[in-house]
Amino acid sequence: MAVEEVENTVRSGGETATTTTEAATATATATAAEVGTLAAKRYAVHPDYRVNVRSGPGTNYQLVRVLQYGATVPINCQKPGERITGPYGTTNLWDNIANGEFISDAYVYTGSSGYVAPHCA
């Protein structure tokens, strides 16, 4: 990503000083890099379902919350667990969408029947 060099004109007490803001350029580059790491890919949950979010990869784990219709989720990592049948097939893959939060991959449109994220530790 290219960052445009900027010239700033600063007026203080009637005095004019013009400087090239290399620091601003460096800051803009650093900010762009940080935003890139924060912008994780999100996947659509099937729009006809309010999906249960569990504390682990199976229905025997505690219910943490329920996703709204039309939700999108990040997939931080994936791990095998209970086999579930949903609108996108039958799978034992569970998607970690936040710390301590899992949903069955059978309800998430990833475009793949396999792993799309690293294996959870």
Side-chain angles (χ1 to χ4, degrees), residues 41-44 75 78 88 105 108-116:
K41 181 170 181 175
R42 297 183 71 85
Y43 297 88
I75 299 178
Q78 294 174 294
Y88 298 119
D105 195 60
V108 182
Y109 183 76
T110 62
S112 172
S113 60
Y115 285 85
V116 297

Side-chain angles (χ1 to χ4, degrees), residues 43 56-57 73-81 91-98 101-121:
Y43 297 88
V73 294
I75 299 178
N76 302 319
C77 62
Q78 294 174 294
K79 72 186 309 181
T91 184
N92 70 335
L93 279 182
W94 285 72
D95 304 331
N96 174 266
I97 62 169
E101 295 187 0
F102 291 85
I103 61 174
S104 172
D105 195 60
Y107 291 92
V108 182
Y109 183 76
T110 62
S112 172
S113 60
Y115 285 85
V116 297
H119 295 249
C120 298

